[in-house]
């Protein structure tokens, strides 16, 4: 054996010995296995603990010299036991323990966790721990991070906290801090403490003063949504910001958003001179921002959104003229009721990267001074009242990524010069401004956009060929831009990143090619509605999720395999075209479809029958075609089916008893067909029904008295049939006609297009209110209470019980043989302007003059009504903020509400005003 071989053998021996020393000790492996028994070892996404060397197990780490287990991370592992096994205590060297995101079904924290002498990291976050935090945790004197957030825990004796002398980070967010006044004193003793997170905590005692502020290292204090509670009444208590807060001069990050502190921001905030980030969203700042804020020379980020500042922006000139000029990087003042012009001094904030002044009442122009913001990346002035021009100096901003000017009244021309140096621009939204975009046909833009919204600006008449250069484009909205052109072929097949394509409401014409390709997004949305497209309905990409083609001149039959070709299709709108042929049989293969509208076409044949087929279909609109036959059974087997519009077809026969299964049906509109037989009694079992129209059919016999069991019904139109017999006395019991309604419309975009006024998803329907037919959207429909029995052969006395129908707006018995007085109180809420009802009912009057002055009131009413009192204001505005498409729709929706008012009667209007005053009084 030579020397080399000996050395080699020795090395081998040493490395083997070393490796053995490294693998985990038997006792620790057994302890781990015992502990793991209560976890689901076969749970998806985790590898099971197998093999001898526990140091190799997922979530386990050992010290690389001693081999002891030092680190245990069980985050998210499903727990299946009833308590933790204390065997874990054998891991004496454990320094890191993560038991977060495990659903423990309200287990309490085992006190023995306090025995891990070497622990420096402990997270029990979001694991559904319950009960009181055990004081034994105070023994963890080496602990640097303690995260108890997001459980159902109560801290009720905080003395032990003061023993955690190594603590750097303490997170107890989303807990109750009750029966303890000393939590603050205890934290105040921790010399190294850097972060305190008490977001969304409920305190029964939030100390106002602290004799000696000791927090020398504290840099972060998170009191987001924290509030003072009266636990005996379970209600919030108002409180002002505590004094001691403004003496923690080391503080760099202060989060007070939505905290329950109601008083104004004190002048003392100017003492927090280390502050870098201040978030004060949704706090009442009515008196403005204290001028001392100008002392915060480190302040980079100031977010005050949703806090009512309610001043002219220019009043802050001095505040922003000092050292904030150089420090501020982000200024977010969305929804703060700012008014006045955009002052020139904004241009002096020369480190600004984000400026968001959206959703205020700023007026005037986009000033030239903004062109001086050399580092700006995001500029947002959406939804203001800007009514001037846009300075060309914006073309300087060569770091700009996002520009939002939508929903203002900006005027003038946007030229290529405005974009000259915007090489990094990715998002641009100029929508809803009367701006004229003067961009030449062969322009080569300096940017590569991903989102472009010019909706409502004047861009046409030519289709912008420079779009061809925008390869990354994902979101494109050119609706209502005055384009009067054919769409070039490259658009249909080379824009392969587009997920949202909106060309609605232009004058686009021509036949679509048979091969259309956009991105692979499984939610691809294409809106070509309200144009002059013609020819057959082409093949759209198989990943199309929403397809709006209404109000064009598409003709011929719908491809029979359309639902097979587009398995992701959720919305299909083809109404108002020249479609003929049958409803495609592939509807029986549809998978995700929830809304179909093919009304106002020339469809013929019967509704397809798809026995045993289940889809998500909610809404089927086929009015105004030439369909024949009856209503197929399968529709009522669909669990979500709620709206069936078959008005003005040639359907016939008796109503099939399979309709009985339509338990979620809200709307059944069968007017203008040839249905025969009696009105079935079982209709009264469709308990969700809100709107029922059987008008202009051939129904005979008596009106079933049971219909009054439909407690949600507020529109019942049985006019123009051959019904006979008396008016059921029970009709005095219609619940929803007794009191005026307030129900919630679904706030989804309209089915026909986002841009097709007057036709809204939720419900929309043509109503004939005494000789005048109009389309009513859900907003108005939901307010309507109508009982129309006119043009039948009803006889007998008008029952006195109808007096109960106080909410009734239209009550029509004309052209019958009924006798007697119409009870005088019907529909009369005790005001002179109540509807005059009789055998001839009222005629609507035009209210256009009133409408203007009362527009605001109506918007408010609609907002409240549509949101529903339960959902509340923030649900709506929350959605408004989040979803841009919804926001656009919303404003259009509100606009068209206004339009629809022209067709309603003065009576309705009087009622509305009355409701308004009620709302005002309840609110006040
Ligand atoms: C463990 O997880 C697997 C896969 O997620 C599941 O099938 C099994 O039912 C679970 N076992 C227990 C006891 O919960
Ligand atoms: C042990 O691990 C630590 C941290 O992972 C590393 O810095 C150190 O170099 C390792 N020591 C040896 C001997 O591998
Ligand atoms: C929270 O814990 C308390 C007991 O501490 C218990 O009564 C309550 O049901 C728990 N709540 C939830 C949502 O688990
Ligand atoms: C301040 O902190 C020190 C530890 O750094 C502690 O000994 C002292 O008691 C604290 N003072 C107060 C008033 O809490
Ligand atoms: C703010 O600082 C000033 C000067 O140091 C001091 O006089 C004042 O008391 C401080 N205010 C508060 C609330 O701590
Ligand atoms: C812009 O709006 C402001 C405030 O409403 C108004 O005072 C001003 O006259 C308007 N300017 C123009 C050019 O319309
Ligand atoms: C664009 O940038 C170049 C170089 O940075 C500069 O010379 C030019 O003036 C800028 N143009 C505009 C319109 O700001």
């Amino acid at each position: 054996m030579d020397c080399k071989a000996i050395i080699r053998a020795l090395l081998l021996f040493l490395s083997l010995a070393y490796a053995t020393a490294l693998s985990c000790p038997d006792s620790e492996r057994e302890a781990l296995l015992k502990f793991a028994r209560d976890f689901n070892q076969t749970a998806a996404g985790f590898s099971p603990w197998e093999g001898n060397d526990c140091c190799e197990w997922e979530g386990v780490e050992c010290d690389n010299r001693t081999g002891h287990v030092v680190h245990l991370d069980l985050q998210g592992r499903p727990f299946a036991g009833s308590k933790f096994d204390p065997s874990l205590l054998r891991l004496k060297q454990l320094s890191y323990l993560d038991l977060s995101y495990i659903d423990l079904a309200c287990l309490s924290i085992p006190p023995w966790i306090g025995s891990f002498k070497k622990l420096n990291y402990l997270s029990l976050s979001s694991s559904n721990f319950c009960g009181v935090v055990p004081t034994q945790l105070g023994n963890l004197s080496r602990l640097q991070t303690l995260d108890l957030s997001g459980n159902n825990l109560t801290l009720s004796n905080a003395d032990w906290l003061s023993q955690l002398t190594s603590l750097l980070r303490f997170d107890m967010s989303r807990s109750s801090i009750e029966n303890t006044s000393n939590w603050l004193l205890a934290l105040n003793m921790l010399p190294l403490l850097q972060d305190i997170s008490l977001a969304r905590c409920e305190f029964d005692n939030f100390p106002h003063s602290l004799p000696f502020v000791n927090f020398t290292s504290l840099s972060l204090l998170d009191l987001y949504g924290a509030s003072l509670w009266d636990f005996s009444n379970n209600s919030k208590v108002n409180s002002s910001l505590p004094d001691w807060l403004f003496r923690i001069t080391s503080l760099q990050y202060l989060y007070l958003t939505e905290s329950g502190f109601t008083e104004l921001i004190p002048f003392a905030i100017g003492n927090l001179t280390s502050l870098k980030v201040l978030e004060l969203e949704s706090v009442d700042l009515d008196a403005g921002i204290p001028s001392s804020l100008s002392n915060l020379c480190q302040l980079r980020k100031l977010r005050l959104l949703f806090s009512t500042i309610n001043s002219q922006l220019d009043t802050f000139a001095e505040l922003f003229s000092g050292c904030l000029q150089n420090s501020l990087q982000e200024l977010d003042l969305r929804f703060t009721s700012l008014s006045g012009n955009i002052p020139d001094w904004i241009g002096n904030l020369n480190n600004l990267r984000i400026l968001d002044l959206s959703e205020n009442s700023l007026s005037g122009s986009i000033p030239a001074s903004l062109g001086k913001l050399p580092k700006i990346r995001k500029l947002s002035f959406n939804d203001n009242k800007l009514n001037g021009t846009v300075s060309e100096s914006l073309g300087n901003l060569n770091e700009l990524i996002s520009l939002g000017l939508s929903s203002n009244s900006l005027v003038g021309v946007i030229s290529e010069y405005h974009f000259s140096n915007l090489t990094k621009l990715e998002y641009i939204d100029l929508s809803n401004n009367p701006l004229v975009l003067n961009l030449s046909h062969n322009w080569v833009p300096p940017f590569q956009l991903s989102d472009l919204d010019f909706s409502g600006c004047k861009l046409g008449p030519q289709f912008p060929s420079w779009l061809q250069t925008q390869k990354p484009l994902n979101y494109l909205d050119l609706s209502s831009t005055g384009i009067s052109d054919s769409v070039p072929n490259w658009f249909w097949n080379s824009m392969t990143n587009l997920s949202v394509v909106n060309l609605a409401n232009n004058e686009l014409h021509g036949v679509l090619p048979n091969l259309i390709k956009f991105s692979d997004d499984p939610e691809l949305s294409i809106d070509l509605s309200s144009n002059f497209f013609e020819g057959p309905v082409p093949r759209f990409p198989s990943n199309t999720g929403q397809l709006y083609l209404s109000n064009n001149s598409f003709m011929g039959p719908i491809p029979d395999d359309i639902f097979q070709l587009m398995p992701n299709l959720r919305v299909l709108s083809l109404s108002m075209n020249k479609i003929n042929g049958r409803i495609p049989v592939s509807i029986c293969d549809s998978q995700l479809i929830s809304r179909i509208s093919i009304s106002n076409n020339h469809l013929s044949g019967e509704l397809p029958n798809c026995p045993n087929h289940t889809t998500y279909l909610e809404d089927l609109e086929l009015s105004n075609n030439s369909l024949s036959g009856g209503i197929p059974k399968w529709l009522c087997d669909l669990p979500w089916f709620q709206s069936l519009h078959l008005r003005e077809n040639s359907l016939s026969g008796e109503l099939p008893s399979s309709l009985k299964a339509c338990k979620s049906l809200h709307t059944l509109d069968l007017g203008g067909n040839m249905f025969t037989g009696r009105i079935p009694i079982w209709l009264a079992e469709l308990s969700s029904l809100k709107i029922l129209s059987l008008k202009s059919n051939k129904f005979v016999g008596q009106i079933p008295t049971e219909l009054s069991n439909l407690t949600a019904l507020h529109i019942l139109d049985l006019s123009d049939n051959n019904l006979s017999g008396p008016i059921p006395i029970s009709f005095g019991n219609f619940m929803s006609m007794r009191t005026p309604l307030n129900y919630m419309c679904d706030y989804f975009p309209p089915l026909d297009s986002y841009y097709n006024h007057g036709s809204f998803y939720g419900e929309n329907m043509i109503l004939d209110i005494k000789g005048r037919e109009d389309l009513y959207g859900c907003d108005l429909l939901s307010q309507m209470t109508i009982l129309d029995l006119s043009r039948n052969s009803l006889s007998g006395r008008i029952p006195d019980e109808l007096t109960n129908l106080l909410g009734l707006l239209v009550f029509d018995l004309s052209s019958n043989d009924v006798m007697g007085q119409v009870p005088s109180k019907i529909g009369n809420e005790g005001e002179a302007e109540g509807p005059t009802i009789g055998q001839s009912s009222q005629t609507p009057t035009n209210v256009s003059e009133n409408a203007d002055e009362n527009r605001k009131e109506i918007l408010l009413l609609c907002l409240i009504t549509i949101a529903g009192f339960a959902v509340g204001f923030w649900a709506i505005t929350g959605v408004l903020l989040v979803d841009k498409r919804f926001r656009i729709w919303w404003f259009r929706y509100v606009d068209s509400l206004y339009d629809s008012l022209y067709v309603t009667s003065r009576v309705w209007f009087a009622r509305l005003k009355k409701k308004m005053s009620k709302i005002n009084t309840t609110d006040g």
Side-chain angles (χ1 to χ4, degrees):
M1 216 184 254
D2 67 2
C3 184
K4 269 187 193 163
I6 294 170
I7 293 174
R8 222 178 283 141
L10 192 64
L11 279 177
L12 184 66
F13 172 77
L14 281 177
S15 61
L16 276 176
Y18 190 67
T20 320
L22 272 185
S23 71
C24 80
D26 288 349
S27 66
E28 298 191 8
R29 184 181 56 247
E30 278 155 25
L32 279 172
L33 284 174
K34 200 150 180 247
F35 187 69
R37 258 190 242 150
D38 289 325
F39 286 84
N40 184 344
Q41 283 298 320
T42 57
F46 296 92
S47 47
W49 285 356
E50 288 163 350
N52 251 352
D53 186 0
C54 71
C55 302
E56 300 283 305
W57 295 350
E58 188 179 39
V60 180
E61 285 173 29
C62 300
D63 185 289
N64 53 13
R65 280 164 304 148
T66 65
H68 287 293
V69 175
V70 291
H71 178 116
L72 184 57
D73 179 353
L74 290 166
Q75 188 180 108
R77 279 200 186 244
F79 186 72
S82 57
K83 67 179 182 50
F84 282 133
D85 194 303
S87 59
L88 204 63
L89 277 175
R90 271 186 262 159
L91 309 180
K92 292 208 172 6
Q93 304 297 319
L94 205 61
S95 68
Y96 184 105
L97 181 57
D98 187 339
L99 296 175
S100 63
Y101 297 93
I102 301 169
D103 186 357
L104 295 169
C106 220
L107 224 60
S108 33
I109 300 178
W112 50 257
I113 286 192
S115 309
F116 290 106
K117 298 245 161 9
K118 302 219 165 145
L119 216 53
N120 69 45
Y121 179 98
L122 177 61
S123 173
L124 304 180
S125 169
S126 309
S127 285
N128 200 2
F129 278 106
C130 285
V132 173
V133 185
T135 55
Q136 286 84 345
L137 294 192
N139 296 338
L140 300 172
S141 58
R142 294 210 190 170
L143 210 56
Q144 297 188 333
T145 300
L146 178 57
D147 186 351
L148 302 175
S149 64
N151 289 294
N152 177 10
L153 288 172
T154 303
L155 181 68
S156 59
N157 164 5
D159 284 337
W160 58 273
L161 269 176
S162 63
Q163 299 162 31
L164 302 179
T165 49
S166 307
L167 205 62
L168 304 177
R169 284 169 293 271
F170 177 61
D171 191 344
M172 184 94 209
S173 299
R174 287 165 288 153
S175 306
S176 294
I177 300 191
E178 312 181 37
N179 299 325
T180 171
S181 51
N182 59 354
W183 61 271
L184 182 63
L185 291 170
L187 291 174
N188 194 32
M189 312 254 300
L190 304 179
L192 305 175
L193 199 58
Q194 293 172 359
D195 297 0
I196 301 177
S197 299
L198 297 170
R200 296 225 175 276
C201 278
E202 293 168 356
F203 297 88
D204 68 349
N205 184 329
F206 197 92
H208 245 266
S209 59
L210 185 63
F212 180 80
V213 175
N214 212 0
F215 290 112
T216 46
S217 311
L218 198 65
S219 111
L220 180 147
L221 180 59
D222 186 354
L223 290 171
Y224 180 105
S227 52
L228 194 59
W229 276 78
D230 177 347
F231 287 98
S232 58
N233 280 332
N234 224 6
S235 61
K236 223 179 228 187
V237 180
N238 285 343
S239 160
S240 55
L241 282 164
D243 294 341
W244 50 264
L245 189 60
F246 300 99
R247 285 188 278 146
I248 311 177
T249 49
S250 54
L251 219 50
Q252 297 184 20
Y253 304 88
L254 179 56
Y255 304 107
L256 293 170
T257 294
E258 283 179 30
S259 58
F261 304 109
T262 50
E263 243 175 50
L264 307 175
I265 304 306
F267 193 80
I269 195 141
N271 284 12
L272 300 181
T273 50
S274 307
L275 221 50
K276 290 181 178 164
V277 173
L278 178 57
E279 297 193 358
L280 269 169
E281 300 157 32
S282 307
V283 175
D284 195 353
L285 297 174
D286 236 348
I289 309 171
S291 60
S292 62
L293 211 68
S294 63
N295 298 345
L296 308 185
C297 294
Q298 308 294 320
L299 197 66
R300 293 189 208 142
K301 189 167 168 185
L302 181 59
R303 290 167 63 96
L304 302 176
L305 51 150
F306 284 114
S307 292
T308 3
I309 297 174
N310 203 11
S311 321
Q312 301 240 335
L313 183 54
D314 202 26
T315 55
F316 302 115
E318 208 180 314
L319 180 68
F320 289 103
S321 65
C323 53
L324 282 181
Q325 257 184 29
N326 296 320
S327 68
L328 215 54
Q329 298 183 3
E330 176 175 346
L331 181 59
D332 190 340
L333 302 175
R334 272 176 285 163
F335 283 104
T336 51
S337 308
L338 288 172
S339 55
N341 291 340
I342 301 171
D344 282 337
W345 52 257
I346 294 267
N348 300 335
L349 301 174
N350 50 52
N351 256 318
L352 214 54
R353 284 144 169 90
I354 296 179
L355 175 62
D356 198 336
L357 300 176
S358 299
E359 320 284 348
N360 283 297
S361 301
L362 297 168
S363 55
S365 294
I366 304 286
S369 58
L370 292 188
K372 291 192 297 178
L373 295 168
K375 297 189 178 157
I376 197 86
R377 291 183 199 150
K378 175 177 176 181
L379 261 186
S380 185
F381 297 102
N382 300 318
D383 297 289
N384 274 285
K385 294 180 178 158
L386 295 168
N387 55 356
T389 55
V390 180
S391 166
E392 280 176 348
S393 72
L394 289 191
N396 290 334
L397 303 176
N398 54 12
E399 296 292 321
L400 197 65
I401 296 172
S402 170
L403 176 63
L405 303 176
S406 80
S407 302
N408 281 289
S409 304
L410 289 164
V411 293
V413 175
I414 300 284
S415 68
E416 291 165 24
Y417 205 76
H418 280 94
F419 299 110
S420 41
N421 275 356
L422 302 188
T423 51
K424 295 191 180 161
L425 198 66
E426 290 175 25
Y427 308 90
I428 181 165
D429 186 353
L430 304 180
S431 61
N432 300 318
N433 280 293
L435 286 167
V436 176
L437 290 150
N438 184 5
L439 305 168
S440 73
H441 201 60
N442 50 8
W443 181 43
V444 181
F447 45 66
Q448 287 287 311
L449 296 176
S450 79
D451 283 43
L452 184 165
D453 191 346
F454 288 167
S455 167
C457 301
K458 174 95 177 66
L459 177 66
Q462 277 187 317
F463 195 87
S465 61
W466 53 265
L467 275 185
Q468 232 180 138
T469 62
Q470 302 299 300
K471 293 298 175 207
L473 200 61
N474 175 259
Y475 180 104
L476 174 67
D477 191 343
L478 295 181
S479 60
S480 311
T481 49
I483 305 177
S484 176
D485 201 350
S486 57
V487 179
N489 261 331
W490 56 259
F491 183 80
W492 299 116
N493 55 40
S494 68
M495 302 298 286
T496 50
N497 282 308
L498 276 178
S499 297
V500 175
V501 183
N502 191 342
L503 303 178
N505 206 17
N506 284 293
E507 294 175 11
L508 296 166
H509 49 77
V511 176
L512 302 186
N514 220 344
L515 180 69
I516 296 176
K517 170 132 187 61
F518 294 113
S519 77
D520 296 332
D521 189 327
E523 286 280 311
L524 177 65
S525 166
I526 301 174
D527 190 344
L528 307 178
S529 57
S530 299
N531 277 292
F532 301 135
F533 288 113
E534 57 197 3
V537 177
R539 292 187 171 210
F540 284 91
S542 60
N543 55 322
T544 308
Q546 300 185 47
L547 186 57
Y548 300 93
L549 303 175
S550 65
N551 200 11
N552 278 288
S553 299
F554 289 109
M555 59 175 103
I558 304 170
D560 242 349
D561 50 1
I562 186 166
F563 293 101
Q564 284 158 344
L565 291 175
M566 294 188 275
N568 294 359
L569 203 59
R570 289 187 295 112
V571 179
L572 173 66
S573 171
L574 274 165
S575 58
M576 291 179 274
N577 279 289
K578 298 175 181 164
I579 305 287
N580 58 19
R582 292 166 166 265
I583 297 169
V585 289
S586 66
I587 194 172
C588 295
D589 298 313
S590 63
Q591 305 192 340
L592 301 176
I593 193 79
S594 87
R595 298 152 61 192
I596 299 177
S597 171
I598 321 178
S599 41
N600 295 293
N601 280 288
H602 311 301
L603 291 173
S604 57
E606 300 195 359
L607 286 155
N609 197 14
C610 312
N612 302 324
H613 179 53
T614 330
T615 66
Y616 297 95
L617 193 64
E618 288 176 19
D619 193 352
L620 183 59
E621 300 194 9
L622 299 170
S623 298
N624 259 310
N625 282 289
S626 307
L627 297 167
S628 54
I631 303 170
K633 175 175 181 300
W634 69 284
L635 287 175
C636 287
D637 297 334
L638 302 177
W640 308 105
F641 194 58
Q642 58 176 37
S643 178
L644 181 59
H645 294 262
L646 295 172
R647 184 189 156 92
E648 302 296 337
N649 276 288
S650 304
L651 301 167
S652 58
E654 298 199 358
L655 292 185
S657 61
S658 59
L659 268 181
K660 248 197 269 193
C662 266
K663 293 292 184 212
S664 5
L665 206 61
H666 290 174
T667 301
L668 182 59
D669 184 359
L670 302 178
N673 281 287
M674 295 182 296
F675 287 108
T676 51
R678 291 171 165 266
I679 295 178
I681 291 175
W682 49 254
L683 270 185
E685 293 169 31
L686 304 184
S687 54
S688 306
L689 221 48
K690 294 174 178 165
I691 299 176
L692 173 61
S693 172
L694 302 178
K695 75 177 285 187
S696 305
N697 276 286
K698 296 178 174 165
F699 289 105
V700 295
Q702 296 200 6
I703 301 175
T705 61
E706 289 82 356
L707 286 186
S708 64
N709 296 345
L710 294 171
T711 50
L713 199 67
H714 62 98
I715 296 182
L716 175 60
D717 189 346
L718 302 178
S719 63
D720 192 17
N721 279 288
N722 294 323
L723 300 170
S724 55
I727 300 170
I729 293 174
S730 64
F731 274 24
N733 295 333
F734 270 123
M735 290 308 293
S736 50
M737 297 194 190
R738 287 163 72 166
T739 43
L741 280 167
N742 267 315
Y743 75 74
M744 196 159 126
C745 294
D746 294 314
Y747 44 86
F748 289 109
L751 183 46
D752 286 335
S753 153
Y754 293 109
Y755 296 89
N756 196 354
H757 288 211
S759 172
F760 301 109
Y761 186 56
E763 249 355 294
N764 64 76
M765 187 169 157
I766 294 179
L767 290 181
D768 170 355
I769 296 189
K770 207 52 199 173
R772 190 171 163 155
E773 289 200 336
D774 284 292
L775 183 62
Y776 290 79
C778 174
D779 49 310
L780 290 176
L781 271 184
S782 65
Q783 305 285 323
M784 294 278 180
T785 45
I786 296 175
L787 181 54
D788 192 344
L789 306 177
S790 63
R791 288 172 290 156
N792 279 293
S793 307
L794 301 172
S795 56
R797 288 188 63 82
I798 300 172
D800 284 345
E801 284 75 6
L802 293 189
T803 320
N804 291 335
L805 305 184
L806 289 182
L808 213 52
L809 175 64
V810 175
F811 177 49
D812 197 341
L813 289 181
S814 55
S815 306
N816 279 296
D817 299 322
V818 287
M819 313 215 313
Q821 282 290 312
V822 172
S824 59
K825 283 197 249 164
I826 281 190
N828 185 345
E829 293 182 81
E831 55 180 275
E833 283 190 282
T836 46
I837 315 280
Q839 277 168 252
S840 62
S841 66
Q842 84 276 18
T843 316
T845 352
N846 201 311
V847 288
S848 49
E849 304 119 74
N850 285 6
D852 257 335
E853 64 201 51
N854 288 289
R855 188 176 181 193
K856 269 194 189 150
E857 289 180 324
I858 290 153
L859 298 193
L860 178 61
L861 178 79
C862 296
L863 188 72
I864 294 167
T865 310
I866 293 163
F869 292 102
V871 177
F873 179 75
W874 293 115
I876 275 280
T877 39
V879 185
L880 283 177
L881 286 178
V882 175
D883 185 353
K884 176 193 161 100
R885 301 197 76 185
F886 177 82
R887 199 181 69 221
I888 294 169
W889 168 78
W890 171 256
F891 287 116
R892 292 185 183 264
Y893 180 86
V894 163
D895 265 352
S896 54
L897 272 189
Y898 173 55
D899 294 341
S900 335
L901 275 175
Y902 286 90
V903 302
T904 55
S905 71
R906 192 196 293 146
V907 175
W908 186 82
F909 205 80
R911 176 102 57 82
L912 185 65
K913 276 167 93 176
K914 183 150 179 190
K915 267 184 204 162
M916 278 304 306
S917 63
K918 273 188 202 148
I919 288 164
N920 286 342
T921 31
T922 1
D923 275 357

